[in-house]
Each structure stands twice: as C-alpha cells, then as structure tokens.
Amino acid sequence: MNLVLVDDIIARYRWEKAAIIAILQDIQREFNYLPQEALTYAASRLAIPLTQVYSLATFYRAFSLKPRGKHLITVCLGTACHVRGAVRILEKLERELGIKAGETTDDMRVSLETVNCLGACALGPIVVIDGQYHGQMTSVKTDSILKKLRKL
Amino acid sequence: MSKIKSTEDFEKLQESVNKTRDPERLCITVCSGTGCHAYGCEKVTQAFVEEIRNRDLQDKVDIRTTGCHGFCERGPIVVIHPQEVFYQRVKVEDVADVVSETILKKNIVDRLLYVDPNTGKQIICEKDVPFYKKQRRIIFGNNALIDPTSIDDYIALGGYAALSKVLWEMKPLEVIDVIKKSGLRGRGGGGFPTGRKWEFCRNAEGDRRYVICNADEGDPGAYMDRSLLEGNPHSVLEGMIIGAYAIGSHQGFIYVRNEYPLAVKNVTIAIQQAREYGLLDRDIIGSGFDFEIKITRGGGAFVCGESTALMASLEGKLGEPRAKYVHTVEKGLWDNPTNLNNVETWANVPVIINKGWQWYSDIGTEHSKGTKIFSLVGKINNTGLIEVPMGISLREIIFDIGGGIPEGKKFKAVQTGGPSGGCIPESLLDLLVDFEKLTETGSMMGSGGMIVMDEDTCMVDVAKYFLNFLKEESCGKCVPCREGIRAMLEILTRITEGEGEEGDVELLQELSEVVAETSLCALGGTAPNPVLTTIKYFRDEYEAHIKEKRCPAGVCPALIQYSIDTERCTGCGACVKVCPQEAISGQRKQPHSLDQAKCIKCGACLEVCKFEAVIKR
Ligand SMILES: Cc1cc2nc3c(=O)[nH]c(=O)nc-3n(C[C@H](O)[C@H](O)[C@H](O)COP(=O)(O)O)c2cc1C
Ligand code: FES
C-alpha cells in the first residue's frame, strides 16, 4: 500500500488533529474505502489513539471499512421516494444482486447503498448508478438497468 | 481585479458590472439545479452552446446556467429573457427550434409551453404559471437569474450592497437591532429568534467567537438549503459576514452535508471570488473588519445537524450531542461563544438589511415573519421548491401551488418537519402555516420538508419509516433515545406484520412520553412526533392493522394479497415474465392464476398488467 498518499493528505491539513474527519474522507476517496493499514498509519502520524480513529470511522455513515465494488448503486430512501415505493425497488435490487443494502457482491462488481434524499424528489423513486440518475423507477426499469450493468 | 477598499470602490464595481448588463439583451437561462441535472439539463445546455455557435450568434445571445428554479417537476427548464418565455421539459431535440423560432424570430414554440391543467390554456411567461403565482420569492427568486459561479451576476442584482452598508454605516448593535425588529426566526427547525441569538453570542464572555452555517440538511425529503447553496452561494456568505460583524466574530464555518458535492464546489468558488474582491478575509471593503470562512464536509450522520453534535464534529470528534445546560452561544466550538444558523436563515439577512425591517416584518403572521421555502414533494402534481409568505394555508400550498394529487387520488395527509415532525390530516388543510400553528397540530415547521400523501399511503408504515430512520441515526449516547426508539419500532413492525395486539397503541403512547421527556437532545425529544400524530389523526388505520389484520392503503406486505381477476385477465403472460417467484401460471390466452404460497408481494405483476387484472387487497 502506498502510504505516501496518506502522508500527502495529512500534510494538506497541516497535521491538524481537528481535521481528522476530512483526512479520513480524503483517504477514503483515494482508496475507495478505509484500509486498516492507512488508518493505523494516519493515527500514528497524527498521534491520535487508533481506537479514536476507529470510533470515528464506524460512527459516520460516509465511511466504509470494507472495499467497495467497481460499480455503486444507490437507492434513495428519502421520504418522498419512500411514499412512491422506493422500498420495493430496493428489495428487488437486493434479490437480484443477492446482497443486502450496505454490502458488495462477492465478485466485487457491485455495491448497494441507500441515501436519504438526493434533492431530485420530482423524479422519485430514484436509483443512482455510478453517478447517473435514474428516475421514476419501476420493477421493469430495474431489470433493464441491471441488464445494462451486467454488460459493463 | 484589485480589492475593494471603500464604499466608493464598491459603487464603482457595481457600476462597471451594470454597464456590461443590458436588460434588453437576449439570454437563455437553463436551470441546473439537482432535479434538472437528473433530467439531463447539461446536454441541453451543451446543445444551446453549439447551436448558438453554429449560427454565429455569440455576440447577440448569452447562455446562463442558473440555480434551481423550483419547478423541478417540469425540468429541464429553460427561460428566455428578456421576454421571460418559459419552456419546460426541454430536450436536446428542441434546442434548434427554440433558437430558430424564439431567439431569431420571436415566435413561441407552443409544444414546450406549460399547459394549465385546470384551464387547458398554454402559459407563456414564467410568472403566470400557477405554480409560481402564489409564491413570494424574496430569498429563492434570484436563484433563477444568476449563474452561481459568477459573483458579478450576484452583484448585478444588488448583491453585497447590504454588506457594504452594514460595514460602513451601521454599528454592530444596530445590525442586531434591525434583525431583532424584523422578527426573523431560525429556519433550521426550532424557530429561535435570530437577532436574540446574535445578541447572546455577542454578549457572551470569550476572546474568540465563531459563526457557523448549518448546511447539514438531514431531513429526508427537504432540499432547499442545498438549492440555496448551490444556486446562490453568495447570498449565504453575505449573510454570514454581516452576522459575524454584528456578533464580533472573525472565523466562520460552513458545515455541508456529505452528499452535496456541487454545493461544496459552488461555495468554494464563491469564497474564492469574494476573497479576490476583498469581500472576505482581511479588511473587508476597507472597513478594518476581518472574517474568514472555512468549509467542512459532514460525515453523513443525521444527528450532526444538531448544534452541539455539529460542533463536536467540527472539532474532529464523534458527532454526539451534549446536554445544553450551557448554551452554545456561551460555550460552543472549542468552548468559545458560537452562533449557529441555518442556510436559509443566513440568506434572509441581506434581504432584511436591504429592504428594511419594516418591509420584512409586514410579511407573515404575528409571530412568524417573512417567507419560508418548502420542498413540496411526494404524491403531488407539481413537485418542487416553493417560497411562500408565512400564514398561507396548507390548502393553497397543496392545491393552488402544488396542483393537487396526481391520478385523481384522494389527499390523505401532509408530513412536515421531517423525522421530528408529524402528519397533518385533511381536516386541518385550512391551517395557516407558521411556527406556532404547525406546532399546535403536533407537527412542526422543521427545515421545510412537506411530503404529501394520498390514499395509497399507509400511515402506520409512515410512522414505522421515520422510526426506522431515527433508529439508524440515533447516536446511541443516551438510553431513552437508543432503546426507546428501538422498542417503539419493534411494536410498529409487529403491527405492520399483522402481529399487533390490543393495547399496542397505548403502549406506543406511553413509550413516546418517556422518550420525549428524557432524551438528551431533540432527536429523541421529537422522535415520537410521527407516531403520536398518526395515532391522533389516523387511529382507525392502526385499529384496522391490529384488529382486522388489514392495511387499508394496501402497503404493508404481510397484510395484503395479490390475486388475478379471471374476468379481466387476457392471458397475455406479461406478469408471468416479471414474477421473480414463478408464482403465476396459466395457458396462453387463458385467465392465469397466482399461487399465494409462492408470492412475495413484490408488486411486479400489478405494475406490468395492462388490463387491471391484478387485484391487490
Ligand atoms: C437531530 C437534529 C437534526 C438537525 N438537523 C438540522 C439540519 O440538518 N439543518 C439545520 O439547519 N438545523 C438542524 N437542526 C437544528 C439545529 O440544532 C439548530 O437548531 C439550527 O441549525 C439553528 O439554526 P437556526 O436558528 O437558524 O434555525 C437539527 C436538530 C436536531 C435535534
Ligand atoms: S426523497 Fe428521494 S430524492 Fe428526495
């Protein structure tokens, strides 16, 4: 693992302990998750107890301690999407992919996550695939999206 | 650009910006709010750029990508100035016609106009669309006119004039006085009087003072703060600088929700531009006042929207709230006096300074002044962001602005206040919306989410939805919130699964009381609201679930059954193809049947059937 990257990130925040959350966010952006080695290293460089770093990494939803898949599917479960049937879309995706929300397929191809409101409630229910919004989702549309995703 | 060192410099800048603006000049504005983005507005903008270039019209026509116009239902939205021709659902294929007809010949492209569903009439101008008619867009309106990445656009509309006036003509206490007299109350949920908060913070003991903008916007279904930050970031910055001057602070923070990268980007650009102009950092407008602003991204925890948790998070700690026997205006960030306000609250400040407190306090009701931005979403025809004067009725919002419920369904409830709020029934539709009136119903103003629900929404399911949300988001520090919400959720889950028992409703009420009374912060303190209001107004639905094992709205899977109407079924086989369980069978062109034992109630058959032959009960 290239820990120099971690050093660069910490230096960007001038070794400030208070910036630990931003530092973790940047580490996650670099590695796509929070690798144990990077956390241990960051904790020692900043002289913060490792337990504290882990408590932050497990408290905030934005962090993942496990590697995430190549593709990211996010289902909006905001209230507006909920009343338009978002749960059924999520359940369908869980069934088809064989994983639960928050998990990644064994072949590391797809991670499934949920979010609370994307600010595009007019299009609800919404599913985002690798940053692309798919609005007014139905079970049939979910099938066709998954089909496309399998070909990628 | 050299820095602005005085009011004269600022006036010169205004003049030079205004000189480049010709109100008669043709300008195509394309909405790039989040909703329109999702509809693909970027491609439409790109198509306009190319079309204008191909026709060599760059010298005659401007193209501006603006913040959210609010009418998200109809995106992508394009408005042609100066005539204000309003085009909706514009696609790349429409671009050539808009340019050749409207731009070159001043003709209207009829097919892109909005048609009033009530009168069947086409509407040409944005302001004549019923969705906008009853709105009063004093905070949000400029979003539609400016490019959020251009400080000059903001200045051309009078931006930073309030700041210049405050720094050069007003003493800090005068500013506080104006805000107090205006009656402005916090838009983040609690509705605390803003001027008083500023005064407390200014008077608190300490060497350093901080001001914070709360942009964590956790209410699922609300996105007005995001739209303001993305669409008009300078208005928030200007409000913060004015507040900092009044309070005597030199350091500000904007805490932005993790899921809002575009807001972070646009605010970062705005801060940079304000710095270059001398409107931030050292010696602002030559007045000697210093103030800098940093942006921090949240970690995706709802509880971090709470003031003490937010401050803990800013310090790099766990976002856990603390008991507030010492207020944050006295001991907040790093134990220094700290003033926290919501995005929309800050955006109100420059408007009040510019127009005067009298003007502002003429809008609204006795104790709730000004306007409020709501996100009108859910089962409503015109989904979008609306800004209305306080004191407008729910009926006007939902039926006049929102255009009523889609597909001729019946209105059931409107949910306000997010997870801390409640569901308001039809009998209260004539309620005049303000802080007090909403609280009286058992709900609250909250940050401004307004989720409309129709006859197909199950109120027990809605209560369960919010408790599930809160269970996930409870930080776990105090027992009543952590364990109480979980216990309530268990009961609700049982009820929705047909395992409800006599006495469950009373038990829920009892638990609610304990959780509300004894939780450490307002997350737990308000968590019972969705349950209590649904019990209060929709008790019959609870009873139906518990006593008759029936979900009247047809939502709770354990209490519904799908079957096939043999009279209507044509045997087309569409449902067979989509059923994940192979639960449907039958001969081609013959009525099919559904095996209850295999059915998982995913609803796919109902969705695809063109003959209304799938029955849900
Ligand atoms: C659990 C919880 C979540 C909150 N989330 C937000 C939020 O996302 N945005 C916000 O402005 N206020 C939120 N608040 C309210 C803040 O604590 C605070 O009252 C508000 O930001 C103060 O600003 P104002 O006076 O301008 O309204 C939340 C409160 C609680 C208890
Ligand atoms: S609730 Fe899904 S986008 Fe708002």
Side-chain angles (χ1 to χ4, degrees), chain B residues 210-214 240 251-255 291-296 310 314 333-334 338 340 346:
Chain B
Y210 296 110
V211 298
I212 302 176
C213 171
N214 188 347
M240 285 181 75
Q251 176 70 60
F253 295 89
I254 303 180
Y255 189 91
F291 181 62
E292 61 162 0
I293 298 179
K294 281 191 190 150
I295 307 179
T296 304
L310 187 149
L314 268 180
L333 198 56
W334 291 294
T338 306
L340 172 86
W346 288 120

Side-chain angles (χ1 to χ4, degrees), chain B residues 309-443:
Chain B
L310 187 149
M311 290 174 202
S313 179
L314 268 180
E315 292 173 13
K317 299 189 187 136
L318 284 195
E320 287 179 342
R322 62 162 174 79
K324 280 200 264 190
Y325 31 76
V326 181
H327 290 290
T328 50
V329 283
E330 285 162 21
K331 278 188 184 316
L333 198 56
W334 291 294
D335 279 344
N336 290 306
T338 306
N339 180 89
L340 172 86
N341 280 120
N342 164 267
V343 172
E344 191 182 334
T345 314
W346 288 120
N348 269 272
V349 172
V351 177
I352 295 170
I353 301 289
N354 279 328
K355 304 254 185 175
W357 63 265
Q358 286 101 335
W359 177 87
Y360 187 86
S361 64
D362 275 346
I363 308 170
T365 62
E366 192 184 348
H367 297 295
S368 304
K369 300 299 183 188
T371 60
K372 177 77 194 86
I373 308 176
F374 289 102
S375 64
L376 190 57
V377 300
K379 304 284 190 69
I380 184 96
N381 273 317
N382 302 334
T383 305
L385 290 179
I386 60 165
E387 182 180 349
V388 288
M390 297 275 192
I392 190 172
S393 75
L394 280 172
R395 193 181 297 281
E396 286 171 281
I397 292 179
I398 292 163
F399 291 93
D400 298 345
I401 298 174
I405 318 298
E407 298 169 27
K409 299 257 166 145
K410 218 169 133 343
F411 169 87
K412 186 186 271 182
V414 56
Q415 205 280 343
T416 71
S420 310
C423 294
I424 302 170
E426 193 181 5
S427 59
L428 295 179
L429 269 180
D430 291 312
L431 185 96
L432 306 182
V433 175
D434 71 6
F435 285 105
E436 277 71 29
K437 290 275 169 19
L438 285 175
T439 308
E440 275 166 30
T441 67
S443 181

